[in-house]
Amino acid sequence: MDGILLVDKPAEWTSMDVCAHLRGVLHEKHIGHTGTLDPNATGLLVVLTGKGTKAAKYAENDKKEYHARLRLGVRTDTQDIWGNVIAQTEQTLTASEIETALEGLRGNIMQTPPMYSAIKIRGKKLYEIARRGGEVHRDPRPVTIYRLELTEKDENGDWGLIIECSKGTYIRTLCDSIGDALGCGGCMSALRRTRAGAFHISQAHTLEEIREAPEEYILPLTLLTGEAASRE
């Protein structure tokens, strides 16, 4: 069964958990995805099935769009609310003050990957080193923030963000950088991917829906590769 599945990933599932689950649902050995979502994040996961796994290269440079929540005044070791709090500050920042900080984080920026990430250095994943209390040097990497929009404040006092960005962008790290720019610290409190390349969350299906009738939701590979590439 070769094709594309657009999954609305639930919280507390890793991206590979979703792939492993779908191997059983589809009775297909070869299943992968085009871009990891953190376990606590939700939203669009583009899954490739069968020979479609070879098409992942066509999604390497896809832009991504996210809706995130930013909690100011809290800094954690994972740069999100699920980590250990390492600093906490009272703050009463206005939307105008936050907007000023966002201006310096739009466009081409350098971003240092977080220790709690799956990047490998000398054969070891950074999160494995971090969980043992270690830390290693990480070189900053260029990323592009095409859109960074501040939205409403919620009942928890967290601000909304809409982000459109290049591959390799860590939204947790962006939230941390916003907190640094404001001088109070900050972390990510929620994350939902809403777009990956040409695909939108409105096209995605829950795992429950897919389990009911998986064949109905398989899309043709040409949506990702184009007609010529699909004949490789």
Side-chain angles (χ1 to χ4, degrees):
M1 194 177 296
D2 308 332
I4 304 166
L5 261 178
L6 303 181
V7 180
D8 188 345
K9 189 189 85 66
E12 300 181 4
W13 286 58
T14 69
S15 300
M16 292 311 297
D17 285 342
V18 172
C19 291
H21 181 74
L22 291 174
R23 289 188 188 102
V25 172
L26 299 172
H27 307 291
E28 171 59 61
K29 178 180 178 182
H30 301 290
I31 291 184
H33 60 78
T34 67
T36 300
L37 270 175
D38 286 348
N40 288 304
T42 66
L44 181 60
L45 186 69
V46 180
V47 174
L48 302 176
T49 68
K51 294 179 181 178
T53 54
K54 297 179 181 179
K57 61 185 179 182
Y58 295 101
E60 286 178 354
N61 296 314
D62 281 351
K63 293 180 183 178
K64 306 291 196 303
E65 181 186 83
Y66 298 91
H67 287 208
R69 305 302 301 182
L70 168 67
R71 182 166 299 178
L72 293 172
V74 178
R75 190 188 304 275
T76 73
D77 57 355
T78 58
Q79 301 178 338
D80 59 35
I81 60 168
W82 299 282
N84 298 309
V85 175
I86 55 179
Q88 200 158 354
T89 306
E90 290 292 330
Q91 54 80 32
T92 55
L93 291 160
T94 65
S96 178
E97 290 170 320
I98 299 169
E99 178 59 38
T100 299
L102 299 187
E103 290 177 6
L105 292 167
R106 296 187 178 106
N108 299 320
I109 64 171
M110 299 298 290
Q111 190 179 72
T112 301
M115 278 301 300
Y116 281 88
S117 65
I119 292 172
K120 287 186 177 181
I121 291 183
R122 294 188 294 275
K124 293 184 178 180
K125 292 180 179 178
L126 288 179
Y127 69 78
E128 294 173 342
I129 298 171
R131 286 172 180 169
R132 294 195 296 269
E135 185 168 356
V136 297
H137 174 77
R138 291 97 66 205
D139 291 324
R141 301 180 174 193
V143 298
T144 303
I145 308 300
Y146 301 101
R147 179 187 180 194
L148 179 55
E149 178 183 335
L150 186 69
T151 64
E152 79 290 343
K153 196 175 185 180
D154 66 17
E155 65 277 7
N156 296 316
D158 297 348
W159 292 90
L161 295 171
I162 300 175
I163 305 116
E164 186 179 356
C165 57
S166 64
K167 69 169 186 176
T169 302
Y170 286 91
I171 307 302
R172 288 179 286 133
T173 302
L174 183 63
C175 289
D176 182 75
S177 296
I178 294 169
D180 280 347
L182 290 165
C184 62
C187 66
M188 185 182 77
S189 59
L191 182 66
R192 182 165 177 79
R193 184 189 286 161
T194 51
R195 187 179 295 277
F199 303 115
H200 189 264
I201 187 61
S202 60
Q203 301 168 277
H205 304 279
T206 66
L207 291 174
E208 290 79 7
E209 290 173 327
I210 294 169
R211 281 197 295 267
E212 288 296 319
E215 297 84 0
E216 289 185 15
Y217 302 115
I218 300 286
L219 299 176
L221 285 172
T222 52
L223 292 177
L224 181 63
T225 66
E227 291 290 347
S230 68
R231 294 194 294 268
E232 289 183 355

